[in-house]
Amino acid sequence: MRLKDIREESELKQFTISKLLGVSRGTYSLWELEKDPIPIKRLNDFCNIFKCSIDYALGFTNIPNYKNSKENININLSSTRLKNIRKEHKHTQDYVAKKLSINRSLISKYESGHTIISTTFLIEYVKLYHISSDYLLGKIDEKITIEEPTILTYNY
């Protein structure tokens, strides 16, 4: 993840970013150190502040931003895309649950739009299906393939 690199490129302190995100410096520090997963809403806010893509912040691409990127996550579009991608691969919710070591009912909640996906789930889903997180979240309309997401590791 590139939170620290992005922040340092802008010569900002953790305290400043934490205030912009509405969290304590300690909480932000844990996200930056990858000790705790940053909530998807806060990750989106972070990316909007720095005008970068979620894919870039997560380290899935070296392209800092995408054309025509929207500021907000679209939970309805996201839920539809999660479901469609799974079905394109002819996978069941049970299959995805087993591959990602989560409860199938949680996948059902994500796919129905009842719950916004977690950052940890998003990262693992991108690794599984090689699809852009920005696309999955409805921030971009172009279906972008992430070439080698499995090389990345996260400490969560």
Side-chain angles (χ1 to χ4, degrees):
M1 195 173 310
R2 293 185 169 123
L3 299 182
K4 182 177 181 180
D5 295 337
I6 293 167
R7 176 184 59 77
E8 287 181 343
E9 283 176 19
S10 296
E11 299 180 2
L12 295 173
K13 301 287 185 194
Q14 284 185 346
F15 178 79
T16 305
I17 299 305
S18 68
K19 287 294 182 197
L20 291 170
L21 294 175
V23 299
S24 71
R25 192 203 59 77
T27 296
Y28 176 77
S29 177
L30 291 173
W31 297 340
E32 201 172 89
L33 293 169
E34 298 181 35
K35 300 291 184 189
D36 280 339
I38 182 172
I40 203 73
K41 181 189 177 323
R42 298 287 193 231
L43 177 60
N44 187 59
D45 292 344
F46 178 92
C47 291
N48 287 339
I49 290 167
F50 291 101
K51 301 195 180 341
C52 68
S53 71
I54 290 175
D55 287 334
Y56 183 75
L58 292 175
F60 287 133
T61 183
N62 290 324
I63 300 167
N65 52 45
Y66 298 123
K67 281 185 177 181
N68 303 317
S69 181
K70 299 165 187 78
E71 278 197 16
N72 296 318
I73 292 169
N74 183 329
I75 192 166
N76 294 325
L77 189 54
S78 176
S79 62
T80 300
R81 287 179 176 174
L82 288 169
K83 185 178 200 176
N84 289 345
I85 289 165
R86 176 182 56 78
K87 287 185 170 189
E88 284 171 18
H89 288 85
K90 297 181 171 74
H91 292 159
T92 64
Q93 288 181 344
D94 287 326
Y95 172 85
V96 175
K98 187 173 182 177
K99 288 295 276 186
L100 303 185
S101 300
I102 65 169
N103 188 306
R104 189 203 57 79
S105 66
L106 187 55
I107 293 172
S108 179
K109 288 177 183 178
Y110 292 157
E111 288 186 358
S112 67
H114 286 91
T115 304
I116 191 164
I117 63 175
S118 71
T119 306
T120 305
F121 176 83
L122 177 66
I123 290 166
E124 295 306 316
Y125 202 88
V126 169
K127 288 179 179 181
L128 180 62
Y129 291 114
H130 299 238
I131 192 75
S132 163
S133 57
D134 290 84
Y135 174 77
L136 283 172
L137 295 169
K139 289 184 58 89
I140 60 172
D141 295 324
E142 183 182 355
K143 192 174 182 181
I144 295 174
T145 300
I146 302 297
E147 294 301 323
E148 295 187 40
T150 54
I151 61 172
L152 299 170
T153 58
Y154 297 93
N155 297 323
Y156 315 136

